[in-house]
Amino acid sequence: MTSPAGAPGGGASGPERLKLLAVTACPTGIAHTYMAAEKLMQAAAELGVDMKVETQGSIGAENVLTDNDVREADGIIIAADKEVDRERFAGKRVLSTGVADGIHKPKELIERVRSAPVQTGTAPAGGGAGSGGGKERSLAYKALMNGVSYMIPFVVVGGLLIAIALALGGHATAEGYAVTPGTFWDHVFQIGVLGFTLMIPILSGYIAYAIGDRPALVPGMIGGFIANTGALYDSKSGAGFIGAIVTGFLAGYLVLWIKKVKVPKVVQPIMPIIVIPIVATTTLGLFFIYVIGKPISWVFESLTSWLSGMTGTSAILLGALLGLMIAFDMGGPVNKTAFLFGTGLIASGNYAVMGMCAAAIPVMPLGQGLATLLRRKLYSEQERDTGMAALFMGVFGISEGAIPFAAARPAIVIPANMLGGAVAGAVAGVAGVGDHVPHGGPIVAALGAISGWAWFLIAIAIGTVVTALTTNALIEIKARRGGRAAPAGAAAAEPVPAGVGAAAGPVTGGGAGAGGTALRAQAEPLPVGAGAADAGPEVLSGYLTARTVRTELASGTKEAAIREMAEMLASTGNVRDVDELVRVALAREAQGTTGLGESIAIPHAKTDAVARPTVGFARSSEGIEWGALDGTKARLVFMIAVPEAAAGDEHLRILALLSRKLMDADFRERLGSAPDGPAVLEVLSEIR
């Protein structure tokens, strides 16, 4: 065959068909993965190119590329929104881009791969032309979410153990709310403290790991520990979770840079386990201590001096300022400056300043927890669980309970936290609330350490509500600006890749093709349990039947369409709870649009509100805004609902079959123009 890095397509005995390989993958590994694969295969067939595509979906890698495939290939296209191992493609032309380009620009990719750069070792081969736009931003976001997902269990376990120990064995002291040393509850408390001690290095370490792989884990974790240990750079407070995010990214990209350094072959085997971790850890640690840490210490001291000069100012202004500082970094230098300022004044008999701080301390976890309760559709299942834990921590004045939310959505959560903290601090300042111990939260009032406890609780409640409402409002605003419809709160901010086969959103869908007449053909509801024996061709193993086909949706918005389709699925008797199915579908939609482009939407829900896998199809002649990558409105809509027990391979098999078949333009045209329900079923029976 041709030389791997040479001009592809040539041969000694005359022109040969170009042989290309491709890898497709999206963050959730569901529909877009298979759509891109199908589009690339179709484009290759039209251009007379041989192509094999490996799909890296949630069901696992399929059609895996073999060593022989790679050896004979003239080039490789990687259309993926997650990291793909490129070491096996060394010496080959590799074009790297996003999965959306695989769907919308397959022919262009096939042309561009002919002049793509040659992959050397494990270094990224996409480069300028192959990046497809936004590649680095996507990697940074995925790295951040990777760190947050690993950190959450440490926050929850550590925070809840501390709260339980304080609730059952704690008492107020001059040094703060504490547990008697050496007792059973003190041991529980110390275990919780260990969880909090580890959560910052974990956040930093797994951000680094997502960027630089295993060699970055050690420098990331040690860097995070250094950032959180202020004593190493003469600060009374560590840099907290913000410092951990900084060290995580620094460690990850530092390791990537070191990997590019040419070293003798004899050194290469020990690079990932000895050389890279040692060099990266030492460099990052010293850099933080001497370059980053010193400014943090200076900021701490300057803020303390500045606050000392404000003690005679208006109570409302001082309270608002302290609340802003308390809420900003939840344990970092700014937070600790305000807290230690209030603590220091207790000894001089000034309890009002600590009262302002104490009112703001629980607002962040309480506010974020309340936000997940008020608008559950905006949050994933993991976020809602974390929200419940945050509420519990907030009662005991553990502000770290809000860190997972702030780390995942800093631009949204931190301003909302600060606004709520400022309001709580200002109300406490105006009311003259006093705190006699250096601790915060409702627990302090319950133990009698607060003077003016009624206003103290009112201040906390107001600040909590402000934070919750502001957080949810900002999430919805960002969702709308991002081009995703958000009727009645149906959208969320960033897609958080956690739990692949989760729910899925509503759908609008389907168009009666050009010039086609869409008919209203709604099946009559049948008795419960009678949904399996429909007449007509079997579609998708019988999961889709005449009862779950609708030739025209009445709904004009995404949320209404979801409910309409859920009620249609319920006519089979397979849905136990329509409201729960709708909720789960909207929650999945909030994680990322299921509008796939080409006027298609495939919302999918995984919930025990469904007794058995059920699939519905509906059309919308007008189309419904779905936030698809190509900007098209959804006209052909499939809704998949499966119980938890069937959410694995079967769920993904249905998605893969639909995604591949729907890339056929002729199939979509015939599906959109089929005159009635039986005709629609006849077209759908082609899905194999």
Coordinates of all heavy atoms in Angstrom, one line a residue, residues 132-210:
G132 N -10.9 21.8 14.3 CA -12.4 21.9 14.2 C -12.9 23.0 15.0 O -14.1 23.2 15.1
G133 N -12.1 23.7 15.8 CA -12.6 24.8 16.6 C -13.1 24.4 17.9 O -13.8 23.4 18.1
G134 N -12.7 25.1 19.0 CA -13.2 24.8 20.3 C -12.6 23.6 21.0 O -13.1 23.2 22.0
K135 N -11.6 22.9 20.4 CA -11.1 21.7 20.9 C -10.6 21.9 22.4 O -10.9 21.1 23.3 CB -10.0 21.1 20.0 CG -9.4 19.8 20.5 CD -10.4 18.7 20.3 CE -9.8 17.3 20.6 NZ -10.7 16.3 20.6
E136 N -9.7 22.9 22.5 CA -9.1 23.1 23.8 C -10.1 23.5 24.9 O -10.0 23.0 26.0 CB -8.0 24.2 23.7 CG -6.8 23.7 22.9 CD -6.2 22.4 23.5 OE1 -5.9 22.4 24.7 OE2 -5.9 21.5 22.7
R137 N -11.1 24.3 24.5 CA -12.1 24.7 25.5 C -12.9 23.4 26.0 O -13.2 23.3 27.1 CB -13.0 25.7 24.9 CG -14.1 26.2 25.9 CD -15.0 27.2 25.2 NE -16.0 27.6 26.1 CZ -17.0 28.5 25.8 NH1 -17.0 29.0 24.6 NH2 -17.9 28.8 26.7
S138 N -13.1 22.6 25.0 CA -13.8 21.3 25.4 C -13.0 20.5 26.3 O -13.5 20.0 27.3 CB -14.2 20.5 24.1 OG -14.8 19.3 24.4
L139 N -11.7 20.4 26.1 CA -10.9 19.6 27.0 C -10.8 20.2 28.3 O -10.9 19.5 29.4 CB -9.4 19.5 26.3 CG -8.4 18.9 27.2 CD1 -8.7 17.4 27.6 CD2 -7.0 19.0 26.6
A140 N -10.7 21.5 28.4 CA -10.6 22.2 29.7 C -11.9 22.0 30.5 O -11.9 21.7 31.7 CB -10.4 23.7 29.5
Y141 N -13.1 22.0 29.8 CA -14.3 21.8 30.6 C -14.4 20.4 31.1 O -14.8 20.1 32.2 CB -15.5 22.2 29.7 CG -16.8 21.9 30.4 CD1 -17.3 22.8 31.3 CD2 -17.6 20.8 30.1 CE1 -18.4 22.6 32.0 CE2 -18.8 20.6 30.8 CZ -19.2 21.5 31.7 OH -20.4 21.3 32.4
K142 N -14.1 19.4 30.2 CA -14.1 18.0 30.6 C -13.2 17.8 31.7 O -13.5 17.0 32.6 CB -13.8 17.1 29.4 CG -14.9 17.1 28.3 CD -14.6 16.1 27.2 CE -13.4 16.5 26.4 NZ -13.1 15.7 25.3
A143 N -12.0 18.4 31.7 CA -11.1 18.2 32.8 C -11.6 18.7 34.1 O -11.5 18.1 35.2 CB -9.7 18.9 32.5
L144 N -12.2 19.9 34.1 CA -12.8 20.5 35.3 C -13.9 19.6 35.8 O -14.0 19.3 37.0 CB -13.4 21.9 35.0 CG -14.1 22.6 36.1 CD1 -13.2 22.8 37.3 CD2 -14.7 23.9 35.6
M145 N -14.8 19.1 35.0 CA -15.9 18.3 35.4 C -15.4 16.9 35.9 O -16.0 16.3 36.8 CB -16.9 18.0 34.3 CG -17.6 19.3 33.8 SD -18.3 20.2 35.2 CE -19.4 19.0 35.9
N146 N -14.3 16.4 35.4 CA -13.7 15.2 35.9 C -13.2 15.4 37.3 O -13.5 14.6 38.2 CB -12.5 14.8 35.0 CG -11.9 13.5 35.3 OD1 -12.6 12.5 35.2 ND2 -10.7 13.4 35.7
G147 N -12.6 16.5 37.6 CA -12.1 16.8 39.0 C -13.3 17.0 39.9 O -13.3 16.5 41.1
V148 N -14.4 17.7 39.5 CA -15.5 17.9 40.3 C -16.2 16.5 40.7 O -16.6 16.3 41.8 CB -16.5 18.8 39.6 CG1 -17.9 18.9 40.4 CG2 -16.0 20.2 39.5
S149 N -16.3 15.7 39.7 CA -17.0 14.4 39.9 C -16.3 13.5 40.9 O -16.9 12.8 41.7 CB -17.2 13.6 38.6 OG -15.9 13.2 38.1
Y150 N -15.0 13.6 40.9 CA -14.2 12.8 41.9 C -14.2 13.5 43.3 O -14.1 12.8 44.3 CB -12.7 12.6 41.4 CG -12.6 11.5 40.4 CD1 -12.5 11.7 39.1 CD2 -12.5 10.1 40.8 CE1 -12.3 10.7 38.1 CE2 -12.4 9.1 39.9 CZ -12.3 9.4 38.6 OH -12.1 8.4 37.7
M151 N -14.3 14.8 43.3 CA -14.3 15.5 44.5 C -15.6 15.4 45.3 O -15.6 15.3 46.6 CB -14.0 17.0 44.3 CG -14.1 17.9 45.5 SD -14.0 19.6 45.2 CE -15.6 19.9 44.3
I152 N -16.7 15.3 44.6 CA -18.0 15.3 45.3 C -18.2 14.3 46.4 O -18.6 14.6 47.5 CB -19.2 15.1 44.3 CG1 -19.3 16.4 43.5 CG2 -20.5 14.8 44.9 CD1 -20.3 16.3 42.3
P153 N -17.8 13.0 46.3 CA -17.9 12.1 47.4 C -17.1 12.5 48.6 O -17.6 12.3 49.8 CB -17.4 10.8 46.8 CG -17.5 10.9 45.3 CD -17.3 12.3 45.0
F154 N -16.0 13.1 48.4 CA -15.2 13.6 49.6 C -15.9 14.7 50.3 O -15.9 14.8 51.5 CB -13.8 14.0 49.1 CG -12.9 12.9 48.7 CD1 -13.0 12.4 47.4 CD2 -12.0 12.3 49.6 CE1 -12.2 11.3 47.0 CE2 -11.3 11.2 49.2 CZ -11.3 10.7 47.9
V155 N -16.5 15.6 49.5 CA -17.2 16.7 50.1 C -18.4 16.2 50.9 O -18.6 16.6 52.1 CB -17.7 17.7 49.1 CG1 -18.5 18.8 49.7 CG2 -16.5 18.3 48.3
V156 N -19.2 15.3 50.3 CA -20.4 14.8 51.0 C -20.0 14.0 52.2 O -20.6 14.2 53.3 CB -21.2 14.0 50.0 CG1 -22.4 13.3 50.7 CG2 -21.7 14.8 48.8
V157 N -19.1 13.0 52.1 CA -18.7 12.2 53.2 C -18.1 13.0 54.3 O -18.5 12.9 55.5 CB -17.8 11.1 52.8 CG1 -17.2 10.4 54.0 CG2 -18.5 10.1 51.9
G158 N -17.1 13.9 54.0 CA -16.5 14.7 55.0 C -17.5 15.7 55.7 O -17.5 15.8 56.9
G159 N -18.3 16.3 54.9 CA -19.2 17.3 55.4 C -20.3 16.7 56.3 O -20.6 17.2 57.4
L160 N -20.8 15.6 55.9 CA -21.9 14.9 56.7 C -21.3 14.4 58.0 O -22.0 14.4 59.0 CB -22.6 13.9 55.8 CG -23.4 14.4 54.7 CD1 -24.1 13.2 54.0 CD2 -24.4 15.4 55.1
L161 N -20.1 13.8 57.9 CA -19.6 13.2 59.2 C -19.3 14.4 60.2 O -19.5 14.2 61.4 CB -18.3 12.5 58.9 CG -18.5 11.1 58.2 CD1 -17.1 10.5 57.9 CD2 -19.3 10.2 59.1
I162 N -18.8 15.5 59.7 CA -18.5 16.6 60.6 C -19.8 17.1 61.1 O -20.0 17.4 62.4 CB -17.8 17.7 59.8 CG1 -16.4 17.3 59.5 CG2 -17.8 19.0 60.6 CD1 -15.6 18.3 58.6
A163 N -20.9 17.2 60.3 CA -22.2 17.7 60.8 C -22.8 16.8 61.8 O -23.3 17.2 62.8 CB -23.1 17.9 59.6
I164 N -22.7 15.5 61.6 CA -23.2 14.5 62.5 C -22.5 14.6 63.8 O -23.1 14.6 64.9 CB -23.2 13.1 61.9 CG1 -24.1 13.0 60.8 CG2 -23.5 12.1 63.0 CD1 -24.0 11.7 60.0
A165 N -21.2 14.7 63.8 CA -20.4 14.8 65.0 C -20.7 16.0 65.8 O -20.9 16.0 67.0 CB -18.9 14.7 64.7
L166 N -20.9 17.2 65.1 CA -21.2 18.4 65.8 C -22.6 18.4 66.4 O -22.9 18.9 67.5 CB -21.1 19.6 64.8 CG -19.7 19.9 64.4 CD1 -19.7 21.0 63.3 CD2 -18.8 20.4 65.6
A167 N -23.6 17.7 65.6 CA -24.9 17.7 66.1 C -25.1 16.8 67.3 O -25.9 17.2 68.2 CB -25.8 17.1 65.0
L168 N -24.4 15.7 67.4 CA -24.6 14.8 68.5 C -23.6 14.9 69.6 O -23.8 14.4 70.7 CB -24.6 13.3 67.9 CG -25.7 13.0 66.9 CD1 -25.6 11.6 66.4 CD2 -27.1 13.3 67.5
G169 N -22.4 15.5 69.3 CA -21.4 15.6 70.3 C -20.7 16.9 70.5 O -19.8 17.1 71.2
G170 N -21.3 17.9 69.8 CA -20.6 19.2 69.8 C -21.2 20.2 70.9 O -22.3 20.0 71.4
H171 N -20.4 21.2 71.1 CA -20.8 22.3 72.1 C -20.0 23.5 71.8 O -19.0 23.5 71.1 CB -20.6 21.8 73.5 CG -19.1 21.5 73.8 ND1 -18.6 20.2 73.5 CD2 -18.1 22.2 74.3 CE1 -17.4 20.2 73.8 NE2 -17.0 21.4 74.3
A172 N -20.6 24.7 72.2 CA -19.9 25.9 71.9 C -18.8 26.2 72.9 O -18.9 25.9 74.1 CB -21.0 27.1 72.0
T173 N -17.7 26.7 72.3 CA -16.5 27.1 73.2 C -16.0 28.4 72.7 O -16.5 28.9 71.7 CB -15.4 26.0 73.0 OG1 -14.8 26.2 71.7 CG2 -15.9 24.6 73.2
A174 N -15.1 29.0 73.4 CA -14.5 30.3 73.1 C -13.8 30.2 71.7 O -13.6 31.2 71.0 CB -13.6 30.8 74.1
E175 N -13.3 29.0 71.4 CA -12.6 28.8 70.1 C -13.5 28.5 69.0 O -13.1 28.4 67.8 CB -11.5 27.7 70.3 CG -10.3 28.1 71.2 CD -10.7 28.1 72.6 OE1 -11.6 27.3 73.0 OE2 -10.2 28.9 73.4
G176 N -14.7 28.2 69.3 CA -15.7 27.8 68.2 C -16.5 26.7 68.6 O -16.5 26.2 69.8
Y177 N -17.3 26.2 67.7 CA -18.2 25.1 68.0 C -17.4 23.8 67.8 O -16.8 23.6 66.7 CB -19.4 25.1 67.0 CG -20.5 24.1 67.4 CD1 -21.1 24.2 68.6 CD2 -20.9 23.2 66.5 CE1 -22.1 23.4 68.9 CE2 -21.9 22.3 66.8 CZ -22.5 22.4 68.0 OH -23.5 21.5 68.4
A178 N -17.2 23.0 68.8 CA -16.3 21.9 68.8 C -16.8 20.7 69.5 O -17.9 20.7 70.1 CB -15.0 22.3 69.4
V179 N -16.0 19.6 69.3 CA -16.3 18.3 70.0 C -15.3 18.0 71.0 O -14.1 18.3 70.7 CB -16.4 17.2 68.9 CG1 -16.8 15.8 69.6 CG2 -17.4 17.5 67.8
T180 N -15.6 17.5 72.1 CA -14.6 17.2 73.2 C -13.6 16.2 72.6 O -13.9 15.1 72.2 CB -15.3 16.6 74.4 OG1 -16.3 17.5 74.9 CG2 -14.3 16.3 75.5
P181 N -12.3 16.6 72.7 CA -11.2 15.7 72.2 C -11.2 14.4 72.9 O -11.5 14.2 74.1 CB -9.9 16.5 72.6 CG -10.4 18.0 72.7 CD -11.8 17.9 73.3
G182 N -10.9 13.3 72.1 CA -10.7 12.0 72.6 C -12.0 11.2 72.7 O -11.9 10.0 73.0
T183 N -13.1 11.8 72.5 CA -14.4 11.1 72.6 C -14.7 10.4 71.2 O -14.1 10.6 70.2 CB -15.5 12.1 72.9 OG1 -15.7 13.0 71.8 CG2 -15.2 12.8 74.2
F184 N -15.8 9.6 71.3 CA -16.2 8.9 70.1 C -16.6 9.9 69.0 O -16.2 9.7 67.8 CB -17.4 8.0 70.4 CG -18.1 7.4 69.2 CD1 -17.6 6.3 68.6 CD2 -19.3 8.0 68.7 CE1 -18.2 5.7 67.5 CE2 -19.9 7.4 67.6 CZ -19.3 6.3 67.0
W185 N -17.3 10.9 69.3 CA -17.8 11.9 68.3 C -16.6 12.7 67.8 O -16.6 13.2 66.7 CB -18.9 12.8 68.9 CG -20.1 12.0 69.1 CD1 -20.8 11.8 70.3 CD2 -20.9 11.3 68.1 NE1 -21.9 11.0 70.1 CE2 -22.0 10.7 68.8 CE3 -20.8 11.2 66.7 CZ2 -23.0 10.0 68.1 CZ3 -21.8 10.4 66.0 CH2 -22.8 9.8 66.7
D186 N -15.6 12.9 68.6 CA -14.4 13.6 68.1 C -13.7 12.7 67.0 O -13.2 13.3 66.0 CB -13.4 13.8 69.3 CG -12.1 14.5 68.8 OD1 -12.2 15.6 68.2 OD2 -11.0 13.9 69.0
H187 N -13.7 11.4 67.2 CA -13.1 10.5 66.2 C -13.9 10.6 64.9 O -13.3 10.6 63.8 CB -13.0 9.1 66.7 CG -12.0 9.0 67.8 ND1 -12.2 8.0 68.8 CD2 -10.9 9.7 68.2 CE1 -11.2 8.1 69.7 NE2 -10.4 9.1 69.3
V188 N -15.2 10.6 65.0 CA -16.1 10.8 63.8 C -15.8 12.1 63.1 O -15.6 12.2 61.9 CB -17.6 10.7 64.2 CG1 -18.4 11.0 63.0 CG2 -17.9 9.3 64.7
F189 N -15.6 13.2 64.0 CA -15.3 14.5 63.5 C -14.0 14.5 62.7 O -13.9 15.1 61.6 CB -15.3 15.5 64.7 CG -15.0 16.9 64.3 CD1 -16.0 17.8 63.9 CD2 -13.7 17.4 64.3 CE1 -15.7 19.1 63.5 CE2 -13.4 18.7 64.0 CZ -14.4 19.5 63.6
Q190 N -13.0 13.9 63.3 CA -11.7 13.9 62.6 C -11.7 13.1 61.3 O -11.0 13.5 60.4 CB -10.6 13.3 63.6 CG -10.4 14.1 64.9 CD -10.0 15.5 64.6 OE1 -9.3 15.8 63.6 NE2 -10.4 16.4 65.5
I191 N -12.5 12.1 61.2 CA -12.6 11.3 60.0 C -13.2 12.3 58.9 O -12.8 12.3 57.7 CB -13.4 10.1 60.1 CG1 -12.7 9.1 61.0 CG2 -13.7 9.4 58.8 CD1 -13.6 7.9 61.4
G192 N -14.2 13.0 59.3 CA -14.8 14.0 58.4 C -13.8 15.1 58.0 O -13.8 15.4 56.8
V193 N -13.0 15.5 58.9 CA -12.0 16.5 58.6 C -11.0 16.0 57.5 O -10.5 16.7 56.6 CB -11.2 16.9 59.8 CG1 -10.0 17.8 59.5 CG2 -12.1 17.7 60.8
L194 N -10.7 14.7 57.6 CA -9.8 14.0 56.6 C -10.4 14.1 55.3 O -9.7 14.3 54.3 CB -9.5 12.6 57.0 CG -8.5 12.4 58.2 CD1 -8.4 10.9 58.5 CD2 -7.1 12.9 57.8
G195 N -11.7 13.9 55.2 CA -12.4 14.0 53.9 C -12.3 15.4 53.3 O -12.0 15.5 52.1
F196 N -12.5 16.4 54.2 CA -12.3 17.8 53.7 C -10.9 18.1 53.3 O -10.6 18.8 52.4 CB -12.8 18.7 54.8 CG -14.2 19.1 54.6 CD1 -15.1 18.4 53.8 CD2 -14.8 20.2 55.3 CE1 -16.4 18.8 53.6 CE2 -16.1 20.5 55.2 CZ -16.9 19.8 54.3
T197 N -9.9 17.5 54.1 CA -8.5 17.7 53.7 C -8.1 17.1 52.4 O -7.3 17.7 51.6 CB -7.6 17.1 54.8 OG1 -8.0 17.6 56.1 CG2 -6.1 17.3 54.5
L198 N -8.7 16.0 52.0 CA -8.4 15.3 50.8 C -9.2 15.9 49.6 O -8.7 15.8 48.4 CB -8.7 13.8 50.9 CG -7.8 13.0 51.8 CD1 -8.4 11.6 51.9 CD2 -6.4 12.9 51.2
M199 N -10.3 16.6 49.8 CA -11.1 16.9 48.6 C -10.4 17.9 47.7 O -10.6 17.9 46.5 CB -12.5 17.5 49.1 CG -12.4 18.9 49.7 SD -14.1 19.5 50.1 CE -13.6 21.1 50.8
I200 N -9.6 18.9 48.3 CA -9.0 19.8 47.4 C -7.9 19.2 46.6 O -7.8 19.4 45.4 CB -8.4 21.0 48.3 CG1 -9.5 21.7 49.0 CG2 -7.6 21.9 47.4 CD1 -10.6 22.3 48.1
P201 N -7.0 18.4 47.1 CA -6.0 17.6 46.3 C -6.7 16.7 45.3 O -6.2 16.6 44.1 CB -5.2 16.8 47.3 CG -5.3 17.5 48.6 CD -6.7 18.1 48.6
I202 N -7.8 16.1 45.6 CA -8.5 15.3 44.7 C -9.0 16.1 43.5 O -8.9 15.7 42.3 CB -9.7 14.6 45.4 CG1 -9.2 13.5 46.4 CG2 -10.6 13.9 44.3 CD1 -8.5 12.3 45.7
L203 N -9.6 17.2 43.8 CA -10.1 18.1 42.7 C -8.9 18.5 41.8 O -9.0 18.3 40.5 CB -10.7 19.4 43.3 CG -11.1 20.5 42.3 CD1 -12.2 20.0 41.3 CD2 -11.5 21.8 43.1
S204 N -7.8 18.9 42.3 CA -6.7 19.3 41.5 C -6.1 18.1 40.8 O -5.8 18.2 39.6 CB -5.6 19.9 42.4 OG -4.5 20.3 41.7
G205 N -6.0 17.0 41.4 CA -5.3 15.8 40.8 C -6.1 15.3 39.6 O -5.5 15.0 38.6
Y206 N -7.4 15.2 39.7 CA -8.2 14.6 38.6 C -8.5 15.6 37.5 O -8.8 15.2 36.4 CB -9.4 14.0 39.2 CG -9.1 12.6 39.8 CD1 -8.9 12.5 41.1 CD2 -9.0 11.5 38.9 CE1 -8.6 11.2 41.7 CE2 -8.6 10.3 39.5 CZ -8.4 10.1 40.8 OH -8.1 8.9 41.3
I207 N -8.3 16.9 37.8 CA -8.3 17.9 36.7 C -7.0 17.6 35.8 O -7.0 17.5 34.6 CB -8.3 19.3 37.2 CG1 -9.7 19.7 37.7 CG2 -8.0 20.3 36.0 CD1 -9.8 21.0 38.4
A208 N -5.9 17.5 36.6 CA -4.6 17.2 35.9 C -4.6 15.9 35.2 O -4.1 15.8 34.0 CB -3.5 17.3 36.9
Y209 N -5.2 14.9 35.8 CA -5.2 13.6 35.2 C -6.0 13.6 33.9 O -5.6 12.9 32.9 CB -5.9 12.6 36.2 CG -6.1 11.2 35.7 CD1 -5.1 10.3 35.7 CD2 -7.3 10.8 35.2 CE1 -5.2 9.0 35.2 CE2 -7.5 9.5 34.7 CZ -6.5 8.6 34.7 OH -6.7 7.3 34.3
A210 N -7.1 14.3 33.8 CA -7.9 14.4 32.6 C -7.1 15.0 31.4 O -7.4 14.8 30.3 CB -9.2 15.1 32.8

